[in-house]
Amino acid sequence: MKTPKALLPLIEDGIVDEVVSQLMSGKEATVYVVRCGDEIRCAKVYKDAAKRSFKKAVQYREGRKQRSSRRARAMEKGSSYGRKQQEEVWQNAEVDALYRLTRAGVRVPQPYGCFDGVLLMELVCDESGHVAPRLNDVSMSPDQAREDHRDIMHDIMRMLCAGLVHGDLSEFNVLVDDYGPVIIDLPQAVDAAANNNAQSMLLRDVKNMNGYYGQYAPELLDSRYGEEMWALYEAGELHADTELSGNYSEPGEAADVDAVLEEIKAVMAEHEEATLRAQDQQESDY
């Protein structure tokens, strides 16, 4: 096929040897199958911000720190330089997330670097060498749904342990190979500690996964893995090897000890006052 303009620099630099085909084109990027030496990989070419349709991007950028104060000011002002820097931050967020999650043991594509706005990474395939399908194109038995749901819950948990929340997880950005689900599309991944929307995004990610797998194993619809994870995370008790149950009950309000004591004192005082009135009444009767 004709080499896309964005991939020409990678071919000229010898990073990519050949563009084999276009794999898909979505709201965020166009993905191509490329050959790098003897390996077949994929190249994700990000679309310009003006052509992207990702909603509420500001919510996802919250908490992303910028080392350069000049860059941060430019991004706030929305200047052309700032918009360019914002694009780099958006693209680098996915690269950084992939490297961090790979180290954390989360099943994501292996990254090979980002070059001039092009993310080079592993092409996830099945044992036959065909590109792995998206989860929304896969049907499964109840037992398989339970197994894959358990795996994806553990990966979401490991992401949280690594300080990240996917933020846009659904059956459309999970691939399925011969070993189970693989999470993809992470440019909007948020910092769990620094983003005020992290908890709601985590709960939404989990709800989406419960909804999809729950088609095949309905009991998963009532599980509360998201609430369980977040409660353990906030308490500092969530670890990569934590065994999740999917059960969670809202903690009751803690008893106000001081208020209870005041109530007891008031009752005792009232009782004492009633006793004194009774004694005065008896004395007046005599």
Side-chain angles (χ1 to χ4, degrees), residues 120-131:
L120 199 60
M121 58 185 169
E122 171 192 4
L123 180 66
V124 181
C125 298
D126 59 22
E127 287 186 346
S128 302
H130 298 114
V131 177

Side-chain angles (χ1 to χ4, degrees), residues 135-151:
L135 180 59
N136 67 299
D137 293 323
V138 174
S139 60
M140 60 193 75
S141 67
D143 285 343
Q144 188 65 59
R146 295 184 190 101
E147 181 181 338
D148 285 4
H149 178 269
R150 181 197 63 213
D151 290 345

Side-chain angles (χ1 to χ4, degrees), residues 11-31:
I11 290 180
E12 291 170 356
D13 292 340
I15 298 170
V16 170
D17 294 298
E18 178 189 3
V19 180
V20 179
S21 63
Q22 178 178 310
L23 181 59
M24 59 80 65
S25 181
K27 61 185 179 183
E28 285 293 295
T30 301
V31 181

Side-chain angles (χ1 to χ4, degrees), residues 30 42 59 127 193 199 230 232 276:
T30 301
C42 67
Q59 291 184 4
E127 287 186 346
Q199 180 181 8
W230 192 262
L232 291 170
L276 290 174

Side-chain angles (χ1 to χ4, degrees), residues 3-11 16 19 30 32 43-47 115-119:
T3 302
K5 183 178 178 180
L7 294 178
L8 283 174
L10 279 70
I11 290 180
V16 170
V19 180
T30 301
Y32 297 92
K44 183 174 184 176
V45 179
Y46 293 95
K47 293 183 177 179
F115 311 89
D116 297 320
V118 179
L119 171 59

